[in-house]
Amino acid sequence: MELDLEQAVFGTTVMVDRGRHGPAAVRIPPGVPHRHRVRVVGSGRPGRHGGPAGDLMVTVLVAEHPTYRRVGADLSATLTISYPEAVLGATVPVTTLSGAEVDVTVPPGTAPGHRLRVPGHGVPGQGRRPTGDLVLEIQVHIPQELGADQRATLQRLAELLPPPPRDPRGHRPGH
C-alpha cells in the first residue's frame, strides 16, 4: 500500500482490496516508516476446514514528498532566506507538514547550510518515543537580476565590508 508522507506521519485508515474476500479497513498508525509491515489480525484468508482466518499483512510504502524528507523521527526541509535575512537575522514564517504555520527565528550571521531545529514539529511520538523535530537547512537566495539602484547599493555595501578570506585553509595571504 503506497501512502503519502502526511498519511504515514499522522496515521490514517485505508481500504485494502482482498479480492474475492472483499475490502478490509486497515488502520495505519502514526509515524509508520517506509516498508513497515502492518498486521491486521483475523483479516486474512479463511482458515482451512472452518479454521480461523489468517492475518492480513500490509507493507507500507511511503511516497517521496516534494518539500519534506523523513529522517528517523525528524522531518527535514530547505528554508530559503534572503541575504539581508541571513546577515541581519529575521523571523520567517514556515508551513509545517501538518499545515500549521510557525515562526522560525533566523539568528544574525546565519550561513548557508546551517541547520535550524524547530522542536516538536516532526513525526509524532508513540508510546515512550518523543515527537521529532523539523530541521531546516538554510539556503540563501542570490538574485539573478538586479536593477541599477540595487546594484549600486550592493556595490556600496561591498566597499564597506571587509573582504572574506580567500585561502582555502581560511588564512589571508601575507598573514
Side-chain angles (χ1 to χ4, degrees):
M1 171 68 53
E2 184 170 279
L3 302 178
D4 61 33
L5 184 61
E6 291 91 338
Q7 291 172 312
V9 167
F10 301 114
T12 189
T13 299
V14 295
M15 296 304 289
V16 174
D17 181 12
R18 299 181 302 166
R20 67 176 190 214
H21 302 293
V26 178
R27 184 184 165 283
I28 306 296
V32 66
H34 183 66
R35 295 207 178 277
H36 182 78
R37 294 180 76 189
V38 175
R39 178 187 303 264
V40 185
V41 177
S43 289
R45 293 185 182 149
R48 293 184 182 181
H49 309 292
D55 298 342
L56 174 65
M57 299 298 292
V58 177
T59 301
V60 175
L61 304 176
V62 182
E64 288 189 26
H65 192 276
T67 304
Y68 297 96
R69 293 171 305 286
R70 181 173 177 176
V71 181
D74 294 336
L75 295 174
S76 68
T78 301
L79 176 61
T80 302
I81 60 174
S82 69
Y83 176 73
E85 289 170 330
V87 173
L88 301 173
T91 299
V92 181
V94 172
T95 303
T96 66
L97 182 65
S98 69
E101 191 171 283
V102 295
D103 288 332
V104 175
T105 300
V106 177
T110 298
H114 182 81
R115 288 186 170 87
L116 299 175
R117 190 169 285 276
V118 185
H121 288 281
V123 178
Q126 299 296 313
R128 292 185 174 175
R129 290 184 295 148
T131 296
D133 298 336
L134 174 58
V135 179
L136 301 168
E137 183 172 338
I138 297 298
Q139 180 176 358
V140 177
H141 174 71
I142 306 297
Q144 297 299 308
E145 296 181 22
L146 295 174
D149 289 344
Q150 294 167 325
R151 184 172 294 285
T153 300
L154 196 55
Q155 183 61 43
R156 176 71 180 127
L157 177 62
E159 293 166 3
L160 295 173
L161 294 174
R166 301 277 187 217
D167 188 312
R169 296 169 293 173
H171 304 291
R172 285 193 183 160
H175 287 106

